[in-house]
Amino acid sequence: MAVVGNGSGVGPAEVDVVVVGAGFSGLYLLHRLRQHGFSAKVFDAAGDVGGTWYWNRYPGARCDVPTTDYAYSFDPELEREWTWSEKYATQPEILAYLGHVADRYDLRRDIQFSTRVESAVWDESASRWCVRTDHGDEITCRAYVMASGCLSLPKTPDIEGANRFRGEIYFTGKWPHDVIDFTGKRVAVIGTGSSGIQSIPLIAAAADQLTVFQRTPNFSIPAGNGPAPAERLAALAADRDAYREAAKTSPTGVPGEVTELSAIAAPEEVRRERFEAAWEAGELFAIGTVFGDLLFNQASNEIVAEMIREKIRSIVVDPDTAETLCPKDYPFATKRPCLDTGYFQTFNLPHVRLVDLRKHAIVTVTETGIDTADESFEFDAIVYATGFDAMTGPLVSVDITGRQGVTLREKWADGPSTYLGLTTTGFPNFFTITGPGSPSVLSNMVVSIEQHVDWVVDCHDDLRAKNFETIEPTPLAEAGWSQHVADCAAITLYPTANSWYMGANVPGKPRIFMPYIGGVGVYREKCDEVAAKGYEGFRTLAGSGP
Ligand code: N01
């Protein structure tokens, strides 16, 4: 299938597939589409490749899945020629890796940067998507794929007076490219999620004064960064394919022990020993799966939550500050836990202060600082580490209009509904990479991305071979999958927390647990089974010829 237009005044250009996003998903998707003989065009609002790693340049930004695992596995040669310098690579190193991938597979020539896709409209009569950008490009395509990431739309600060401040304003999710020097400055950080927890120690190291405004304390464990873990390197060296296969069939996308041991049933010394080992390992999936029932049993969860609180109290010298930093009103791991490097220690520094917004709420941001109910603060800079409109935000921020003029925003007004987290009824030939209803943010994203991309490209191959023009899930299949996603979440503790997984961080957003918690391996089997059964749950319609 070839490009039939060139966009030079003779009508819109046409490609087989338009892709939004040039991060881990979009780059691999473009590579695989090309390998299979499909023409594709990728658009990205950023000035270069990288996706989330292009924008999140704040001090301390790193991955929090070991980089041995947070990397593509599709090409053993690529793996052999790239060596990560640390257990958790920095944002510049990950960005350099993605730049290397773009060069190695000559991807940039099909990517249009600094261009935002504004709308995509399904043309029923032509069975094509018509995509428009903010640069006036118009391009039609057979399939339209949002590879736009789950955490790529920063939340607009829902804080009174946020735009009144006259000093420097930064967002962790859209950090400037220049080096920001906080030396000698009075800095505020609002937000103590992963971005806040990673950046606060480094901002504190530079700033004259740092005030951290915390609404909800977070569970965090020390990353123990350093060289890549010897046991993971050894396992990879011994049998790379087996290691990568183990990741694909694991619950989280990272090979590791799977235990059914219950925290509540285990003897105290066993609990302590397992917890300490997981704490020392400095891996989120290790601590999240240290007992089999952590996410199902409140009492078991509380055992581990309290052990983490004990650690916080042992690090933070001032007892009031320590208590304020201890999460107490949601179960461990139901809000995304963090990995840190010296986060809690930072609050022992004399120039760092913690403000508990639960006791001293922000009344307004002023021209010169922040007023809480009982104090006025003056700042030179405010850093918003206030998170994202996660998962659905990036998808509905583009005007995507399917059959009968229904937009995705309208369809998902009460929450996302998908078949397999990949497709949605009423939007033929439309795919979401790591969309809601797939393991996505509960997994090692790179493993989940590769699985989705492979599935989508294989699906295109199959459609082409059978001369099918469109594919779209049936309402019944979508309802069944959505119910399954909801049922899986309902038997866990996840829905009890006000997390971004639930959409609870964005005022007015429907409260629905968005990712699929069934596990990476189980989910992969399901997707493969659907394809093997001739796309069970989908309606495919024949075309008039390729
Ligand atoms: O965002 P968050 P993030 N007033 O939503 C607070 C991934 N990630 O950018 O919890 C005051 O977690 C908010 O408080 P509360 C990772 O998956 C990965 O840090 O809503 N405070 C919270 O403390 C992560 O989970 C890495 O009460 C307000 C914070 O801001 C996800 O991205 C690094 C507020 C937001 O935390 C998002 O992380 C970074 C308000 N009006 C991120 N609004 C890696 O290491 C919000 N907050 C790979």
CSV table of all heavy atoms in Angstrom, one decimal, residues 291-346:
chain,number,residue,atom,x,y,z
A,291,PHE,N,4.6,-9.7,49.2
A,291,PHE,CA,3.6,-10.7,49.7
A,291,PHE,C,2.5,-10.7,48.6
A,291,PHE,O,2.3,-9.8,47.9
A,291,PHE,CB,3.0,-10.3,51.0
A,291,PHE,CG,4.1,-10.2,52.1
A,291,PHE,CD1,4.6,-9.0,52.6
A,291,PHE,CD2,4.6,-11.4,52.6
A,291,PHE,CE1,5.6,-9.0,53.5
A,291,PHE,CE2,5.6,-11.4,53.6
A,291,PHE,CZ,6.1,-10.2,54.1
A,292,GLY,N,1.9,-11.9,48.5
A,292,GLY,CA,0.9,-12.1,47.5
A,292,GLY,C,-0.4,-11.4,47.7
A,292,GLY,O,-1.1,-11.2,46.7
A,293,ASP,N,-0.7,-11.0,48.9
A,293,ASP,CA,-2.0,-10.4,49.2
A,293,ASP,C,-2.0,-8.9,49.5
A,293,ASP,O,-3.0,-8.4,50.0
A,293,ASP,CB,-2.6,-11.2,50.4
A,293,ASP,CG,-1.8,-11.2,51.6
A,293,ASP,OD1,-0.7,-10.7,51.6
A,293,ASP,OD2,-2.3,-11.7,52.7
A,294,LEU,N,-0.9,-8.3,49.2
A,294,LEU,CA,-0.8,-6.8,49.6
A,294,LEU,C,-1.9,-6.0,49.0
A,294,LEU,O,-2.4,-5.1,49.6
A,294,LEU,CB,0.5,-6.3,49.1
A,294,LEU,CG,1.8,-6.5,49.9
A,294,LEU,CD1,2.9,-5.6,49.4
A,294,LEU,CD2,1.5,-6.2,51.3
A,295,LEU,N,-2.3,-6.3,47.8
A,295,LEU,CA,-3.3,-5.5,47.1
A,295,LEU,C,-4.7,-6.0,47.3
A,295,LEU,O,-5.6,-5.4,46.7
A,295,LEU,CB,-2.9,-5.4,45.6
A,295,LEU,CG,-1.7,-4.4,45.4
A,295,LEU,CD1,-1.2,-4.6,44.0
A,295,LEU,CD2,-2.1,-3.0,45.6
A,296,PHE,N,-4.8,-7.0,48.1
A,296,PHE,CA,-6.2,-7.6,48.2
A,296,PHE,C,-6.7,-7.6,49.7
A,296,PHE,O,-7.8,-7.7,50.0
A,296,PHE,CB,-6.2,-9.1,47.8
A,296,PHE,CG,-5.7,-9.2,46.3
A,296,PHE,CD1,-4.4,-9.5,46.0
A,296,PHE,CD2,-6.7,-9.1,45.3
A,296,PHE,CE1,-4.0,-9.6,44.7
A,296,PHE,CE2,-6.3,-9.1,44.0
A,296,PHE,CZ,-4.9,-9.4,43.7
A,297,ASN,N,-5.7,-7.5,50.6
A,297,ASN,CA,-6.1,-7.7,52.0
A,297,ASN,C,-5.6,-6.4,52.8
A,297,ASN,O,-4.3,-6.2,52.9
A,297,ASN,CB,-5.4,-9.0,52.5
A,297,ASN,CG,-5.7,-9.2,54.0
A,297,ASN,OD1,-5.8,-8.3,54.8
A,297,ASN,ND2,-6.0,-10.5,54.3
A,298,GLN,N,-6.5,-5.7,53.3
A,298,GLN,CA,-6.1,-4.4,54.0
A,298,GLN,C,-5.2,-4.7,55.2
A,298,GLN,O,-4.2,-3.9,55.4
A,298,GLN,CB,-7.4,-3.8,54.5
A,298,GLN,CG,-7.2,-2.5,55.4
A,298,GLN,CD,-6.7,-1.4,54.6
A,298,GLN,OE1,-7.2,-1.0,53.6
A,298,GLN,NE2,-5.5,-0.8,55.0
A,299,ALA,N,-5.4,-5.8,55.9
A,299,ALA,CA,-4.5,-6.0,57.1
A,299,ALA,C,-3.1,-6.4,56.6
A,299,ALA,O,-2.1,-5.9,57.2
A,299,ALA,CB,-5.1,-7.2,57.9
A,300,SER,N,-3.0,-7.1,55.6
A,300,SER,CA,-1.7,-7.5,55.0
A,300,SER,C,-1.0,-6.2,54.5
A,300,SER,O,0.2,-6.0,54.8
A,300,SER,CB,-1.8,-8.5,53.9
A,300,SER,OG,-2.2,-9.7,54.4
A,301,ASN,N,-1.8,-5.4,53.8
A,301,ASN,CA,-1.2,-4.2,53.3
A,301,ASN,C,-0.7,-3.3,54.4
A,301,ASN,O,0.4,-2.7,54.3
A,301,ASN,CB,-2.3,-3.4,52.5
A,301,ASN,CG,-1.7,-2.3,51.7
A,301,ASN,OD1,-1.4,-1.3,52.3
A,301,ASN,ND2,-1.7,-2.4,50.4
A,302,GLU,N,-1.5,-3.2,55.5
A,302,GLU,CA,-1.1,-2.3,56.6
A,302,GLU,C,0.2,-2.8,57.3
A,302,GLU,O,1.0,-1.9,57.7
A,302,GLU,CB,-2.2,-2.3,57.6
A,302,GLU,CG,-2.0,-1.5,58.9
A,302,GLU,CD,-1.7,0.0,58.6
A,302,GLU,OE1,-2.0,0.5,57.5
A,302,GLU,OE2,-1.0,0.6,59.5
A,303,ILE,N,0.5,-4.1,57.2
A,303,ILE,CA,1.8,-4.6,57.8
A,303,ILE,C,3.0,-3.9,57.0
A,303,ILE,O,3.9,-3.4,57.6
A,303,ILE,CB,1.8,-6.1,57.7
A,303,ILE,CG1,0.9,-6.7,58.8
A,303,ILE,CG2,3.2,-6.6,58.0
A,303,ILE,CD1,0.6,-8.2,58.6
A,304,VAL,N,2.9,-4.0,55.7
A,304,VAL,CA,4.0,-3.4,54.9
A,304,VAL,C,4.0,-1.9,55.0
A,304,VAL,O,5.0,-1.2,55.1
A,304,VAL,CB,3.9,-3.9,53.5
A,304,VAL,CG1,4.9,-3.2,52.6
A,304,VAL,CG2,4.2,-5.4,53.4
A,305,ALA,N,2.8,-1.3,55.0
A,305,ALA,CA,2.7,0.2,55.1
A,305,ALA,C,3.4,0.6,56.4
A,305,ALA,O,4.1,1.6,56.4
A,305,ALA,CB,1.2,0.6,55.0
A,306,GLU,N,3.1,0.0,57.5
A,306,GLU,CA,3.7,0.4,58.7
A,306,GLU,C,5.2,0.2,58.7
A,306,GLU,O,5.9,1.0,59.3
A,306,GLU,CB,3.0,-0.4,59.9
A,306,GLU,CG,3.4,0.1,61.3
A,306,GLU,CD,3.2,1.6,61.6
A,306,GLU,OE1,2.5,2.3,60.9
A,306,GLU,OE2,4.0,2.1,62.5
A,307,MET,N,5.7,-0.9,58.1
A,307,MET,CA,7.1,-1.1,58.0
A,307,MET,C,7.8,0.1,57.3
A,307,MET,O,8.9,0.5,57.6
A,307,MET,CB,7.5,-2.4,57.4
A,307,MET,CG,7.2,-3.6,58.4
A,307,MET,SD,8.0,-5.1,58.0
A,307,MET,CE,6.8,-5.9,57.0
A,308,ILE,N,7.1,0.6,56.2
A,308,ILE,CA,7.7,1.7,55.5
A,308,ILE,C,7.6,3.0,56.4
A,308,ILE,O,8.6,3.8,56.4
A,308,ILE,CB,6.9,1.9,54.2
A,308,ILE,CG1,7.1,0.7,53.3
A,308,ILE,CG2,7.5,3.2,53.4
A,308,ILE,CD1,6.3,0.7,52.0
A,309,ARG,N,6.5,3.1,57.1
A,309,ARG,CA,6.4,4.3,58.0
A,309,ARG,C,7.6,4.3,59.0
A,309,ARG,O,8.2,5.3,59.3
A,309,ARG,CB,5.1,4.4,58.7
A,309,ARG,CG,4.0,4.8,57.8
A,309,ARG,CD,2.6,4.9,58.5
A,309,ARG,NE,1.6,4.5,57.7
A,309,ARG,CZ,0.8,3.4,57.8
A,309,ARG,NH1,0.9,2.6,58.9
A,309,ARG,NH2,-0.2,3.2,57.0
A,310,GLU,N,7.9,3.1,59.5
A,310,GLU,CA,9.0,3.0,60.5
A,310,GLU,C,10.3,3.5,59.9
A,310,GLU,O,11.1,4.1,60.5
A,310,GLU,CB,9.2,1.5,60.9
A,310,GLU,CG,8.2,1.0,62.0
A,310,GLU,CD,8.3,-0.5,62.1
A,310,GLU,OE1,9.4,-1.1,61.7
A,310,GLU,OE2,7.4,-1.1,62.7
A,311,LYS,N,10.5,3.1,58.6
A,311,LYS,CA,11.7,3.6,57.9
A,311,LYS,C,11.7,5.1,57.8
A,311,LYS,O,12.7,5.7,58.1
A,311,LYS,CB,11.7,3.0,56.5
A,311,LYS,CG,11.9,1.5,56.5
A,311,LYS,CD,13.4,1.1,56.7
A,311,LYS,CE,13.6,-0.3,56.5
A,311,LYS,NZ,14.9,-0.8,56.9
A,312,ILE,N,10.6,5.7,57.5
A,312,ILE,CA,10.5,7.2,57.4
A,312,ILE,C,10.8,7.8,58.7
A,312,ILE,O,11.6,8.7,58.8
A,312,ILE,CB,9.1,7.6,56.8
A,312,ILE,CG1,8.8,7.0,55.4
A,312,ILE,CG2,9.0,9.1,56.9
A,312,ILE,CD1,7.4,7.2,54.9
A,313,ARG,N,10.2,7.3,59.8
A,313,ARG,CA,10.5,7.8,61.1
A,313,ARG,C,11.9,7.7,61.5
A,313,ARG,O,12.5,8.5,62.3
A,313,ARG,CB,9.6,7.1,62.1
A,313,ARG,CG,8.1,7.4,62.0
A,313,ARG,CD,7.2,6.7,63.0
A,313,ARG,NE,5.8,6.9,62.7
A,313,ARG,CZ,5.0,5.9,62.4
A,313,ARG,NH1,5.4,4.6,62.4
A,313,ARG,NH2,3.7,6.2,62.1
A,314,SER,N,12.6,6.6,61.0
A,314,SER,CA,14.0,6.4,61.4
A,314,SER,C,14.9,7.3,60.6
A,314,SER,O,16.1,7.6,61.0
A,314,SER,CB,14.4,4.9,61.1
A,314,SER,OG,14.6,4.7,59.8
A,315,ILE,N,14.4,7.9,59.5
A,315,ILE,CA,15.3,8.8,58.7
A,315,ILE,C,15.1,10.2,59.1
A,315,ILE,O,16.0,11.0,59.2
A,315,ILE,CB,14.9,8.6,57.2
A,315,ILE,CG1,15.2,7.2,56.7
A,315,ILE,CG2,15.7,9.6,56.3
A,315,ILE,CD1,14.7,6.8,55.3
A,316,VAL,N,13.8,10.6,59.3
A,316,VAL,CA,13.5,12.1,59.4
A,316,VAL,C,13.6,12.4,60.9
A,316,VAL,O,13.0,11.8,61.8
A,316,VAL,CB,12.1,12.4,58.9
A,316,VAL,CG1,11.7,13.8,59.1
A,316,VAL,CG2,12.0,12.0,57.4
A,317,VAL,N,14.5,13.4,61.2
A,317,VAL,CA,14.8,13.7,62.6
A,317,VAL,C,13.7,14.3,63.4
A,317,VAL,O,13.4,13.9,64.5
A,317,VAL,CB,16.1,14.6,62.6
A,317,VAL,CG1,16.4,15.0,64.1
A,317,VAL,CG2,17.3,13.9,62.0
A,318,ASP,N,13.0,15.3,62.8
A,318,ASP,CA,12.0,16.0,63.5
A,318,ASP,C,10.7,15.1,63.5
A,318,ASP,O,10.2,14.8,62.4
A,318,ASP,CB,11.7,17.3,62.8
A,318,ASP,CG,10.5,18.0,63.5
A,318,ASP,OD1,10.5,18.3,64.7
A,318,ASP,OD2,9.5,18.2,62.8
A,319,PRO,N,10.2,14.7,64.7
A,319,PRO,CA,9.1,13.8,64.7
A,319,PRO,C,7.8,14.3,64.1
A,319,PRO,O,7.1,13.5,63.4
A,319,PRO,CB,8.8,13.6,66.2
A,319,PRO,CG,10.0,14.1,66.9
A,319,PRO,CD,10.7,15.1,66.0
A,320,ASP,N,7.5,15.6,64.2
A,320,ASP,CA,6.3,16.1,63.5
A,320,ASP,C,6.4,16.0,62.0
A,320,ASP,O,5.5,15.6,61.3
A,320,ASP,CB,6.1,17.6,63.9
A,320,ASP,CG,5.6,17.7,65.4
A,320,ASP,OD1,5.2,16.6,65.9
A,320,ASP,OD2,5.8,18.8,65.9
A,321,THR,N,7.6,16.4,61.5
A,321,THR,CA,7.8,16.3,60.0
A,321,THR,C,7.7,14.9,59.6
A,321,THR,O,7.1,14.6,58.5
A,321,THR,CB,9.2,16.9,59.7
A,321,THR,OG1,9.3,18.2,60.2
A,321,THR,CG2,9.4,17.0,58.2
A,322,ALA,N,8.3,14.0,60.4
A,322,ALA,CA,8.3,12.5,60.0
A,322,ALA,C,6.8,12.1,59.9
A,322,ALA,O,6.4,11.4,58.9
A,322,ALA,CB,9.1,11.7,61.0
A,323,GLU,N,6.0,12.4,60.9
A,323,GLU,CA,4.6,12.0,60.9
A,323,GLU,C,3.9,12.6,59.7
A,323,GLU,O,3.0,11.9,59.1
A,323,GLU,CB,3.9,12.4,62.2
A,323,GLU,CG,4.0,11.5,63.3
A,323,GLU,CD,4.1,10.0,63.0
A,323,GLU,OE1,3.2,9.4,62.5
A,323,GLU,OE2,5.2,9.4,63.3
A,324,THR,N,4.2,13.8,59.3
A,324,THR,CA,3.5,14.5,58.2
A,324,THR,C,3.9,13.7,56.9
A,324,THR,O,3.1,13.7,56.0
A,324,THR,CB,3.9,15.9,58.1
A,324,THR,OG1,3.6,16.5,59.4
A,324,THR,CG2,3.1,16.7,57.0
A,325,LEU,N,5.1,13.2,56.9
A,325,LEU,CA,5.6,12.5,55.7
A,325,LEU,C,5.1,11.0,55.6
A,325,LEU,O,5.3,10.4,54.6
A,325,LEU,CB,7.1,12.5,55.6
A,325,LEU,CG,7.7,13.9,55.3
A,325,LEU,CD1,9.2,13.9,55.6
A,325,LEU,CD2,7.5,14.2,53.8
A,326,CYS,N,4.5,10.6,56.6
A,326,CYS,CA,4.0,9.2,56.7
A,326,CYS,C,2.6,9.0,56.1
A,326,CYS,O,1.6,9.6,56.6
A,326,CYS,CB,3.9,8.6,58.1
A,326,CYS,SG,5.5,8.2,58.8
A,327,PRO,N,2.5,8.3,55.0
A,327,PRO,CA,1.1,8.1,54.4
A,327,PRO,C,0.3,7.2,55.3
A,327,PRO,O,0.8,6.2,55.7
A,327,PRO,CB,1.4,7.4,53.1
A,327,PRO,CG,2.9,7.4,52.9
A,327,PRO,CD,3.5,7.6,54.2
A,328,LYS,N,-0.9,7.6,55.6
A,328,LYS,CA,-1.8,6.9,56.5
A,328,LYS,C,-3.2,6.6,56.0
A,328,LYS,O,-3.9,5.9,56.6
A,328,LYS,CB,-1.8,7.6,57.9
A,328,LYS,CG,-0.5,7.6,58.6
A,328,LYS,CD,-0.6,8.4,59.9
A,328,LYS,CE,0.8,8.6,60.4
A,328,LYS,NZ,1.1,9.9,61.0
A,329,ASP,N,-3.6,7.3,55.0
A,329,ASP,CA,-5.0,7.2,54.7
A,329,ASP,C,-5.3,6.6,53.3
A,329,ASP,O,-6.4,6.7,52.8
A,329,ASP,CB,-5.7,8.6,54.7
A,329,ASP,CG,-5.1,9.6,53.7
A,329,ASP,OD1,-4.2,9.2,53.0
A,329,ASP,OD2,-5.6,10.7,53.6
A,330,TYR,N,-4.4,5.8,52.9
A,330,TYR,CA,-4.7,4.9,51.7
A,330,TYR,C,-3.7,3.7,51.8
A,330,TYR,O,-2.6,3.9,52.3
A,330,TYR,CB,-4.5,5.7,50.4
A,330,TYR,CG,-3.1,6.3,50.1
A,330,TYR,CD1,-2.2,5.5,49.4
A,330,TYR,CD2,-2.8,7.5,50.6
A,330,TYR,CE1,-0.9,6.0,49.2
A,330,TYR,CE2,-1.5,8.0,50.4
A,330,TYR,CZ,-0.6,7.3,49.7
A,330,TYR,OH,0.7,7.8,49.5
A,331,PRO,N,-4.1,2.6,51.2
A,331,PRO,CA,-3.2,1.4,51.3
A,331,PRO,C,-2.0,1.6,50.5
A,331,PRO,O,-2.0,2.3,49.4
A,331,PRO,CB,-4.1,0.3,50.8
A,331,PRO,CG,-5.5,0.8,50.9
A,331,PRO,CD,-5.4,2.3,50.7
A,332,PHE,N,-0.9,1.0,50.9
A,332,PHE,CA,0.4,1.0,50.2
A,332,PHE,C,0.2,0.5,48.7
A,332,PHE,O,-0.5,-0.5,48.5
A,332,PHE,CB,1.4,0.2,50.9
A,332,PHE,CG,2.6,-0.1,50.0
A,332,PHE,CD1,3.5,0.9,49.6
A,332,PHE,CD2,3.0,-1.4,49.7
A,332,PHE,CE1,4.6,0.7,48.8
A,332,PHE,CE2,4.1,-1.7,48.9
A,332,PHE,CZ,4.9,-0.6,48.4
A,333,ALA,N,0.7,1.2,47.8
A,333,ALA,CA,0.7,0.9,46.3
A,333,ALA,C,-0.6,1.2,45.6
A,333,ALA,O,-0.7,0.9,44.4
A,333,ALA,CB,1.1,-0.6,46.1
A,334,THR,N,-1.6,1.7,46.3
A,334,THR,CA,-2.8,2.0,45.6
A,334,THR,C,-2.7,3.4,45.0
A,334,THR,O,-3.5,3.7,44.1
A,334,THR,CB,-4.1,1.9,46.6
A,334,THR,OG1,-3.8,2.8,47.7
A,334,THR,CG2,-4.3,0.5,47.0
A,335,LYS,N,-1.9,4.2,45.5
A,335,LYS,CA,-1.4,5.4,44.7
A,335,LYS,C,0.0,4.9,44.3
A,335,LYS,O,0.7,4.2,45.0
A,335,LYS,CB,-1.3,6.6,45.6
A,335,LYS,CG,-2.6,7.4,45.7
A,335,LYS,CD,-2.6,8.4,46.8
A,335,LYS,CE,-2.1,9.8,46.3
A,335,LYS,NZ,-3.1,10.7,45.9
A,336,ARG,N,0.5,5.4,43.1
A,336,ARG,CA,1.7,4.9,42.6
A,336,ARG,C,2.9,5.2,43.6
A,336,ARG,O,3.2,6.3,43.9
A,336,ARG,CB,2.0,5.5,41.3
A,336,ARG,CG,3.4,5.2,40.7
A,336,ARG,CD,3.3,4.2,39.6
A,336,ARG,NE,4.4,4.1,38.7
A,336,ARG,CZ,5.7,4.4,38.8
A,336,ARG,NH1,6.1,5.0,39.9
A,336,ARG,NH2,6.5,4.2,37.8
A,337,PRO,N,3.5,4.1,44.1
A,337,PRO,CA,4.7,4.4,45.0
A,337,PRO,C,5.9,4.9,44.3
A,337,PRO,O,5.9,4.9,43.0
A,337,PRO,CB,5.0,3.0,45.7
A,337,PRO,CG,4.3,2.0,44.8
A,337,PRO,CD,3.3,2.7,43.9
A,338,CYS,N,6.9,5.4,45.0
A,338,CYS,CA,8.0,6.1,44.3
A,338,CYS,C,9.3,5.4,44.8
A,338,CYS,O,9.4,4.7,45.8
A,338,CYS,CB,8.1,7.5,44.7
A,338,CYS,SG,6.5,8.4,44.5
A,339,LEU,N,10.3,5.7,43.9
A,339,LEU,CA,11.7,5.4,44.3
A,339,LEU,C,12.4,6.7,44.5
A,339,LEU,O,12.2,7.6,43.7
A,339,LEU,CB,12.4,4.6,43.1
A,339,LEU,CG,12.2,3.2,42.9
A,339,LEU,CD1,13.1,2.7,41.9
A,339,LEU,CD2,12.4,2.4,44.2
A,340,ASP,N,13.2,6.8,45.5
A,340,ASP,CA,13.9,8.1,45.7
A,340,ASP,C,15.4,7.9,46.0
A,340,ASP,O,15.9,6.8,46.3
A,340,ASP,CB,13.2,8.8,46.9
A,340,ASP,CG,13.5,8.2,48.2
A,340,ASP,OD1,12.8,7.2,48.6
A,340,ASP,OD2,14.5,8.5,48.8
A,341,THR,N,16.0,9.1,45.9
A,341,THR,CA,17.5,9.1,46.3
A,341,THR,C,17.6,10.3,47.3
A,341,THR,O,17.6,11.5,46.9
A,341,THR,CB,18.3,9.4,45.0
A,341,THR,OG1,18.1,8.3,44.1
A,341,THR,CG2,19.8,9.4,45.4
A,342,GLY,N,17.5,9.9,48.5
A,342,GLY,CA,17.7,10.9,49.6
A,342,GLY,C,16.5,11.8,49.8
A,342,GLY,O,16.6,13.0,50.3
A,343,TYR,N,15.3,11.4,49.4
A,343,TYR,CA,14.1,12.2,49.6
A,343,TYR,C,13.8,12.6,51.0
A,343,TYR,O,13.7,13.7,51.4
A,343,TYR,CB,12.9,11.6,48.9
A,343,TYR,CG,11.6,12.3,49.2
A,343,TYR,CD1,11.4,13.6,48.6
A,343,TYR,CD2,10.6,11.8,50.0
A,343,TYR,CE1,10.2,14.3,48.9
A,343,TYR,CE2,9.4,12.5,50.2
A,343,TYR,CZ,9.2,13.8,49.6
A,343,TYR,OH,8.1,14.5,49.9
A,344,PHE,N,13.6,11.6,51.9
A,344,PHE,CA,13.2,11.8,53.3
A,344,PHE,C,14.4,12.6,54.0
A,344,PHE,O,14.1,13.4,54.8
A,344,PHE,CB,12.8,10.5,54.0
A,344,PHE,CG,11.5,10.0,53.4
A,344,PHE,CD1,11.6,8.7,52.7
A,344,PHE,CD2,10.3,10.6,53.5
A,344,PHE,CE1,10.4,8.2,52.1
A,344,PHE,CE2,9.2,10.1,52.9
A,344,PHE,CZ,9.2,8.9,52.3
A,345,GLN,N,15.6,12.2,53.7
A,345,GLN,CA,16.8,12.9,54.3
A,345,GLN,C,16.8,14.4,54.0
A,345,GLN,O,17.2,15.2,54.8
A,345,GLN,CB,18.1,12.3,53.7
A,345,GLN,CG,18.4,10.9,54.2
A,345,GLN,CD,17.7,9.8,53.3
A,345,GLN,OE1,16.8,10.1,52.6
A,345,GLN,NE2,18.2,8.6,53.5
A,346,THR,N,16.2,14.8,52.9
A,346,THR,CA,16.2,16.2,52.5
A,346,THR,C,15.5,17.1,53.6
A,346,THR,O,15.8,18.2,53.8
A,346,THR,CB,15.5,16.4,51.1
A,346,THR,OG1,16.2,15.6,50.2
A,346,THR,CG2,15.4,17.8,50.7
